[in-house]
Amino acid sequence: GPAGLAAAQQLTRAGHTVTVFERADRIGGLLRYGIPEFKLEKRLLDRRLAQMEAEGTRFRASVDVGVDITGRQLRSRYDAVVLATGSTLRRDLPIPGRGLAGIHQAMDYLPQANRVAAGTEVPDQIVATDRDVVIIGGGDTGADCLGTALRQGARSVTQLEIMPRPADERPDTQPWPTYPMIYRVSSAHEEGGRRLYSVSTQEFLDDGAGTVAGLRLVEVELTDGRFAPVPGTERVLPTQLVLLAMGFTGPERGGLLEQFGVELDGRGNIARGTRYETGVPGVFVAGDAGRGQSLIVWAIAEGRAAAASVDHWLMGRTRLPTPIPPTARPLTI
């Protein structure tokens, strides 16, 4: 993904021999299979990968580190390791009817669409064609689902968000230079669909044959930090495809992390110091695996910063740009 690729390119340019391992069949992480083609053309990613390969970076796809190769084997083969595995534990919605057919995680749906866009055949692909689609989650992943569903010919697309609709102008509680939480319209939203705010899904409804046919929701009010249902606001939305886009809670547990012996912080991410180092000498972490779910620009910045720390640890000095400490928050202008 972006953090690992950014770290790899910097370290290669610093003169190190760098190998990138990827569990998927092609390199790129979320850049490859998470972000739709209409938002990030994969030819741009392929161009950068070709550049990196020409510079000397080695790529090993379809390798599940922790299974196909162990953490101990990596430690014995390489002088340093950067963990850039991302935040992949998905939030779920354990309410009545969750087990019905037609309810899928966004990151099961989006990669399939990306594979098809790249010319790969996907058996039993999840498609939105001629369906009423409901997306639960109001973030970027939800918007990606919306744009993809529209391109697949969905009959209707509705995106649900439990939070209130943000203000159109910067709130007084978020003065410059803080990043304001205001109402934003992405390119996908400009194409169609609708967004509902301050609503909570209570139950998925069965069509009688084990497939979702609708969901029951209720309007909510945020009071004292908790969402309370508003009496008399329950209603049913018809849907034949539900996509869960409610974010992620940290890197996958077990396997890889246990083999490296790294610890987790209070938020469930890989614990690290001010120079991206873990508690295991020679093992560093960058991107969502240590920061938590965030933006690609942060993943790239952290990957480049972690590379400088790795270079300094290996050589005793570095000419790479001085890393930004993981706790730093540059001004957003």
Side-chain angles (χ1 to χ4, degrees):
L5 293 177
Q9 186 162 52
Q10 290 293 90
L11 288 167
T12 297
R13 290 176 173 179
H16 301 288
T17 299
V18 182
T19 304
V20 176
F21 290 93
E22 168 59 53
R23 178 167 55 183
D25 60 338
R26 300 182 69 185
I27 304 294
L30 287 181
L31 297 173
R32 172 75 63 188
Y33 288 129
I35 300 177
E37 179 74 14
F38 67 82
K39 195 172 179 181
L40 173 64
E41 296 174 335
K42 301 307 176 281
R43 63 179 179 82
L44 302 177
L45 172 60
D46 291 335
R47 184 176 67 183
R48 176 54 64 97
L49 293 175
Q51 178 194 63
M52 292 178 64
E53 196 164 28
E55 292 173 346
T57 301
R58 302 171 179 178
F59 295 107
R60 302 288 185 269
S62 299
V63 178
D64 190 352
V65 177
V67 178
D68 300 324
I69 184 172
T70 67
R72 175 173 295 188
Q73 289 172 319
L74 284 183
R75 294 291 311 279
S76 65
R77 170 65 180 83
Y78 297 94
D79 298 305
V81 175
V82 178
L83 299 177
T85 55
S87 178
T88 56
L89 289 181
R90 311 159 181 177
R91 286 194 178 91
D92 211 320
L93 190 59
I95 60 174
R98 172 62 181 89
L100 294 172
I103 303 171
H104 303 276
Q105 287 281 355
M107 291 311 297
D108 290 330
Y109 171 69
L110 291 174
Q112 290 187 356
N114 274 336
R115 290 179 185 277
V116 170
T120 303
E121 183 177 350
V122 177
D124 300 319
Q125 181 191 0
I126 304 166
V127 293
T129 309
D130 296 327
R131 295 180 175 179
D132 299 301
V133 180
V134 173
I135 302 161
I136 301 178
D140 289 339
T141 301
D144 292 344
C145 289
L146 183 146
T148 301
L150 290 175
R151 282 163 174 75
Q152 292 178 343
R155 183 163 50 228
S156 67
V157 185
T158 304
Q159 188 175 3
L160 308 183
E161 171 60 68
I162 195 170
M163 295 295 293
R165 182 187 185 279
D168 291 321
E169 304 293 335
R170 178 190 293 271
D172 293 337
T173 55
Q174 299 170 12
W176 186 91
T178 58
Y179 188 71
M181 299 301 293
I182 60 176
Y183 181 72
R184 304 177 191 278
V185 179
S186 71
S187 59
H189 293 125
E190 291 177 343
E191 297 174 358
R194 61 171 178 163
R195 290 191 275 180
L196 300 180
Y197 290 91
S198 297
V199 293
S200 176
T201 303
Q202 306 295 294
E203 178 186 10
F204 296 114
L205 305 178
D206 195 334
D207 68 350
T211 300
V212 66
L215 60 80
R216 190 184 312 280
L217 57 77
V218 64
E219 295 180 14
V220 293
E221 292 180 332
L222 185 57
T223 305
D224 297 328
R226 302 187 66 178
F227 293 101
V230 178
T233 62
E234 278 198 7
R235 61 186 186 275
V236 172
L237 286 182
T239 179
Q240 302 81 46
L241 176 61
V242 177
L243 301 173
L244 305 179
M246 300 181 296
F248 305 86
T249 60
E252 292 180 21
R253 311 294 194 264
L256 174 63
L257 301 189
E258 288 183 357
Q259 291 172 19
F260 276 108
V262 296
E263 297 181 354
L264 302 180
D265 62 20
R267 298 173 57 214
N269 303 312
I270 300 175
R272 58 189 185 176
T274 57
R275 297 186 67 85
Y276 298 87
E277 78 280 10
T278 69
V280 181
V283 179
F284 298 78
V285 59
D288 289 3
R291 181 184 181 84
Q293 180 186 349
S294 189
L295 302 175
I296 286 175
V297 290
W298 266 116
I300 294 172
E302 289 210 356
R304 291 170 64 88
S309 290
V310 173
D311 188 38
H312 188 278
W313 187 79
L314 292 170
M315 309 302 295
R317 60 185 177 85
T318 184
R319 294 183 179 178
L320 295 174
T322 303
I324 300 171
T327 54
R329 295 292 185 273
L331 301 182
T332 301
I333 299 176

